[in-house]
């Protein structure tokens, strides 16, 4: 059974930084696409960042470009999300998700669409106070 486990969420002040990590069991990140999503109370789940198959290409939501960085450690089979210059509107539950391979030939919208991803973690809470 595939399991994804997120860690690193906590409460921080605006302008601060956090690093989220996602570890997988019975699943190899490097041959799939892996993404971070977030969902705030009363809002739809939103794609934040995706790393395409192989780890060489990334896709970001406009709201986090220049502030968040997704990366992959194939040796440890983990995917991380470095979040800098955090804002109150970044407050949400953050989920790691994994799905079928994606390449640069696929539409970027697919890389940030929840429907593409089959496996999901339980989430880690990020709270940013202003």
């Amino acid at each position: 059974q595939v399991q994804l486990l997120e860690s690193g969420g906590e409460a921080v002040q605006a302008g601060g930084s956090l690093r989220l990590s996602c570890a997988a069991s019975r699943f190899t990140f490097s041959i799939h696409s892996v993404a971070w999503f977030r969902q705030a109370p009363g809002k739809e789940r939103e794609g934040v960042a995706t790393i395409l198959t192989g780890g060489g290409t990334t896709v970001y939501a406009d709201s986090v470009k220049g502030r968040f960085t997704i990366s992959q450690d194939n040796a440890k089979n983990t995917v991380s999300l470095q979040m800098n210059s955090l804002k109150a509107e970044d407050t949400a539950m953050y989920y790691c998700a994994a799905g079928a391979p994606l390449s640069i030939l696929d539409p970027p919208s697919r890389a940030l669409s929840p429907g593409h991803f089959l496996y999901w973690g339980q989430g880690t809470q990020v709270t940013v106070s202003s």
Side-chain angles (χ1 to χ4, degrees):
Q1 182 179 357
V2 174
Q3 289 186 323
L4 304 181
L5 182 62
E6 304 97 334
S7 62
E10 61 181 73
V12 295
Q13 290 193 333
S17 298
L18 279 177
R19 187 176 182 87
L20 306 182
S21 291
C22 178
S25 61
R26 300 181 180 87
F27 193 86
T28 302
F29 280 145
S30 62
I31 59 174
H32 295 86
S33 56
V34 188
W36 286 94
F37 287 79
R38 65 186 181 187
Q39 188 166 19
K43 294 188 176 181
E44 292 187 354
R45 191 163 294 191
E46 172 192 23
V48 174
T50 300
I51 193 161
L52 305 188
T53 305
T57 303
T58 54
V59 179
Y60 295 95
D62 288 343
S63 58
V64 305
K65 280 181 182 177
R67 299 189 299 123
F68 290 11
T69 303
I70 188 171
S71 61
Q72 185 170 290
D73 186 329
N74 291 336
K76 296 181 179 179
N77 199 32
T78 58
V79 172
S80 298
L81 184 68
Q82 178 67 40
M83 305 187 296
N84 299 327
S85 302
L86 283 162
K87 306 175 182 179
E89 50 264 43
D90 294 319
T91 295
M93 185 71 78
Y94 282 72
Y95 298 90
C96 175
L102 285 170
S103 76
I104 58 173
L105 300 179
D106 291 300
S109 58
R110 184 177 300 171
L112 295 176
S113 171
H116 174 77
F117 296 89
L118 182 60
Y119 302 106
W120 293 82
Q122 295 295 314
T124 185
Q125 178 67 39
V126 172
T127 303
V128 184
S129 57
S130 56

